Amino acid sequence: METENLLAQPTAVTVPVTSAQPSAVPVATGTPAPESENPAASPSGKINLNTATMEELMTLPGIGEKRAAAIVADREANGPFRVPEDLTRVDGIGEGILGGLIDMVTVS
């Protein structure tokens, strides 16, 4: 009968935490990654039309592989863009495309 009373009582169990067990609380280590690792991005985060690669240009709205290639080809043939609006000199880029991306680009 004494055994039955011992078994019926609640018992607390303590489990030691060791370094081999994962922690339930995430811990930040190291330095945070930069917000943008895009080399064509300016300090403002805008893409520089005069230094961007095709892949970087393709991140802009309305710019796919063909338009990105046309931007790079125009830049190589005619020199750097003086203002973002110069982008309209590229075949396939008009006011509509320019309006969708002008706030995301810069020139220098």
Side-chain angles (χ1 to χ4, degrees):
M1 187 156 179
E2 192 173 310
T3 305
E4 287 177 345
N5 287 339
L6 288 174
L7 293 175
Q9 295 177 359
T11 306
V13 176
T14 304
V15 178
V17 177
T18 65
S19 61
Q21 294 175 327
S23 172
V25 179
V27 177
T29 60
T31 58
E35 200 169 296
S36 172
E37 293 184 13
N38 181 347
S42 68
S44 66
K46 294 183 178 187
I47 292 181
N48 186 334
L49 295 173
N50 292 322
T51 59
T53 64
M54 280 186 51
E55 291 77 17
E56 291 161 343
L57 292 167
M58 289 170 49
T59 64
L60 296 167
I63 305 298
E65 188 174 345
K66 288 182 181 180
R67 285 189 178 128
I71 293 168
V72 171
D74 179 276
R75 186 175 69 201
E76 291 171 354
N78 301 310
F81 297 99
R82 293 177 296 117
V83 293
E85 290 81 1
D86 282 348
L87 202 54
T88 58
R89 74 184 190 203
V90 178
D91 287 338
I93 299 180
E95 295 296 324
I97 298 289
L98 180 66
L101 58 77
I102 194 149
D103 292 334
M104 301 173 191
V105 297
T106 189
V107 295
S108 61

